Amino acid sequence: MDNFKKCTWLYIGTQDVWALFIIVLYLSKYSKMKLGKPHEKPEFNDATYFTMLFAAGIGIGLFYFGVAEPIWHLEPGHYGNRYYARYSDNQRAQDAMNVTFFHWGIHGWIVYVLVGLLLGFLSYRKGLPMTMRSCFYPLLGDRIYGWMGDFIDILSIVCNMFGVCTSLGLGVIQLNAGFKRLNRNIEFSTTNQIITIWGVTVLATGSVISGLKLGIRRLSEICFSIGMVLMLIVLFYDDTWYLLNLYVQSIGYYLQYVVQIGFHTDAFAQLSNAPDKLQASDWMNDWTIFYWGWWIAWCPFVGMFMAKISRGRTIREFINATLAASLFYTFLWLTIFGGAGLRMERNAAMANITCSSPLGGSNATQNFKGLYRLSCRGKNDMWFDLMDQYGDPWRIPVCLVPDCSDSGSLVIDCLSANGDPDPPVPQRVFWALTEGATATALLYAGGADALQALQAVSIAAGLPYTILLCFMCVSLWRAVQMEAGDLDPNGPQFSVSLFNPIIWPSCRGVFKLLLATVAPCHDGGGVHLPVNGISYVGWAVLFLFFGVATAIRTGIREEDGIQGNMVEDFFVVMLLYPFAAYQMDQHVLNHRQTKMNGDVEHGHVCENPAPKVNSDTK
């Protein structure tokens, strides 16, 4: 996991950029456009629509982290995070809620919104297939139906599979802990967790076979209703006025600090060289980066599922439902369960309950006057410890696990069927079973470190998709501009495609691509210097080249009126510089040849432009 520290800037920075982009889109004139034809109405009513969004998007995660995460942030161990021993106990408790809100707030949901918007807009308004390759149609055109589109869909299936399996693994680990509390003879073991996976898989398979409008819809409504009952029980059973106060207060703190915490990368802490040793060098990697990788790995699944149920809604309505409404409900859930957990932790400390206490301690099987010292308890026990004081409602969350799995199976079915909205039943069964098998393999291989293995897989799956999401922003903006008539899709373009050397391969094209790869400036060779640290000089020169190439590409755009901007040019040059170099070279040559042909046709002599020639001379 240490290698992912090098990607902190990328994960943090891109989430901020995507959030700003969606805000700009929401405030623009394009937000009135519908995900569908102008006359179409929403397919699902608002209540059903919201329940499906919630159950598919974050249902399992809220049960798993709703109580545990605020407790972990409150009592992280000796300098387990940057807030430890920094303020009073009251401020530390508020910081714990603030960080929890951050991980489940705008920066998380934004990836779902981006993918869902783009896919729904292009599918329902332009008639493109409901598959991830369609997201890049404004950039690649019909080339999405070739190998590039296949690559995008395969990557989406992999990300979707790992993202769903991460949550499925987290869910069954917690279910195993719950079953053990029901029956002490049931062991907390990988074997029992695998058995639980296949029980959930059977339920999910039945749901996905019945389809979106029956099985998945009804299961979502049932699970959401049960979750609401649970949440209201805790709200009214616990200290209601404290929880309502905490909800209002925490939203205020979140709005005040969202920009600051949203750009925080723990730059100094990750150096691990603080003279006073007051640092938590692994906290960012273990928490925020894991979360962003997890959200991104889920975005093909949840984004496509959101698009499937959003036909007939405007862009602004979509953002309101998937971002604003979902955020306030998520924050309410986290406040009620997380706030109740913090209250129990503080009361347990006042009651002198410690980790070694026989009642309410780390290994205790019974509470002390309804209290557990949650910070001493296992991560899979905290939710049940909290709910134990209210009676039996903690037995309920089993339904959200199959609801997540069946939605994920349906999305993978559609991806593998090239966007078919009603994939064959055998294919639905195959992917539902494959999800179960993948989650089983991850848990079996991980053993005691199963969660860490799932976290690593989640982040690894999300990293390549981070790059694609950046291009999706460009694609969505172009799509709405073209639809509004502000951008001509048939306007000036580069004379050759970016991927021309591999779409239309030739000996000359392949040679030029290889030359651009090893010598983009056409130097014709390199010099090997056995100097210590010369590789870092090479990196500096490489990025200097990226800057120069970006300036050249932008200059070509401006001279020939080609649509685009400098940011696009930079990412194209940085990520695909051999193709960019080839494209610019061929475009300039073709442009020069076209100009020369035009001069000859109109009687102009480029070598000696001074003498005037009759314009009718051929």
Side-chain angles (χ1 to χ4, degrees), residues 213-425:
K213 295 183 179 180
L214 180 60
I216 296 176
R217 173 182 178 176
R218 298 309 176 193
L219 185 58
S220 297
E221 291 174 343
I222 292 171
C223 290
F224 183 84
S225 299
I226 293 174
M228 280 292 297
V229 171
L230 271 177
M231 186 172 67
L232 292 175
I233 288 174
V234 177
L235 175 63
F236 295 118
Y237 200 115
D238 211 282
D239 190 335
T240 305
W241 309 119
Y242 152 70
L243 293 175
L244 293 177
N245 284 338
L246 182 60
Y247 181 58
V248 174
Q249 177 174 298
S250 296
I251 289 178
Y253 269 82
Y254 175 76
L255 294 176
Q256 179 181 359
Y257 289 106
V258 65
V259 175
Q260 175 183 323
I261 196 173
F263 284 86
H264 190 91
T265 61
D266 262 1
F268 293 111
Q270 290 188 354
L271 291 174
S272 300
N273 65 350
D276 57 6
K277 305 300 181 185
L278 307 184
Q279 60 190 358
S281 59
D282 294 327
W283 184 87
M284 178 65 68
N285 191 56
D286 293 341
W287 279 101
T288 304
I289 301 306
F290 159 62
Y291 264 117
W292 291 173
W294 189 17
W295 284 96
I296 293 170
W298 266 60
C299 74
F301 153 43
V302 182
M304 181 178 290
F305 187 78
M306 285 180 171
K308 277 184 168 294
I309 63 177
S310 300
R311 186 167 194 160
R313 297 181 183 272
T314 65
I315 291 176
R316 181 166 293 180
E317 290 172 344
F318 181 91
I319 296 175
N320 284 337
T322 58
L323 197 58
S326 297
L327 277 185
F328 282 107
Y329 183 83
T330 301
F331 288 170
L332 181 61
W333 181 285
L334 292 171
T335 298
I336 291 175
F337 287 96
L342 291 172
R343 179 172 173 270
M344 175 181 278
E345 172 69 13
R346 287 157 64 98
N347 287 340
M350 293 295 292
N352 294 320
I353 300 175
T354 64
C355 294
S356 59
S357 298
L359 297 177
S362 58
N363 298 317
T365 57
Q366 294 182 344
N367 59 51
F368 176 76
K369 297 181 179 180
L371 300 175
Y372 285 95
R373 190 65 184 266
L374 295 179
S375 59
C376 300
R377 305 285 288 176
K379 52 184 173 290
N380 299 306
D381 293 319
M382 292 186 193
W383 194 84
F384 300 108
D385 291 337
L386 175 71
M387 299 302 293
D388 212 23
Q389 64 183 321
Y390 308 123
D392 295 334
W394 58 266
R395 294 177 170 85
I396 294 176
V398 63
C399 69
L400 281 171
V401 183
D403 192 44
C404 154
S405 183
D406 62 7
S407 304
S409 299
L410 180 63
V411 168
I412 294 181
D413 293 338
C414 295
L415 284 171
S416 58
N418 291 322
D420 186 351
D422 189 24
V425 171

Side-chain angles (χ1 to χ4, degrees), residues 34 40-46 310-313 317:
K34 277 192 174 183
E40 287 186 302
K41 301 296 183 183
E43 189 173 7
F44 300 98
N45 61 55
D46 291 343
S310 300
R311 186 167 194 160
R313 297 181 183 272
E317 290 172 344

Side-chain angles (χ1 to χ4, degrees), residues 89-125:
D89 287 338
N90 290 341
Q91 187 60 50
R92 285 183 16 321
Q94 186 58 64
D95 284 337
M97 290 302 302
N98 199 32
V99 175
T100 304
F101 273 25
F102 171 57
H103 288 154
W104 293 88
I106 293 173
H107 290 78
W109 279 90
I110 207 69
V111 294
Y112 297 170
V113 175
L114 178 58
V115 175
L117 265 181
L118 179 55
L119 196 55
F121 188 85
L122 294 175
S123 296
Y124 297 136
R125 202 170 181 102

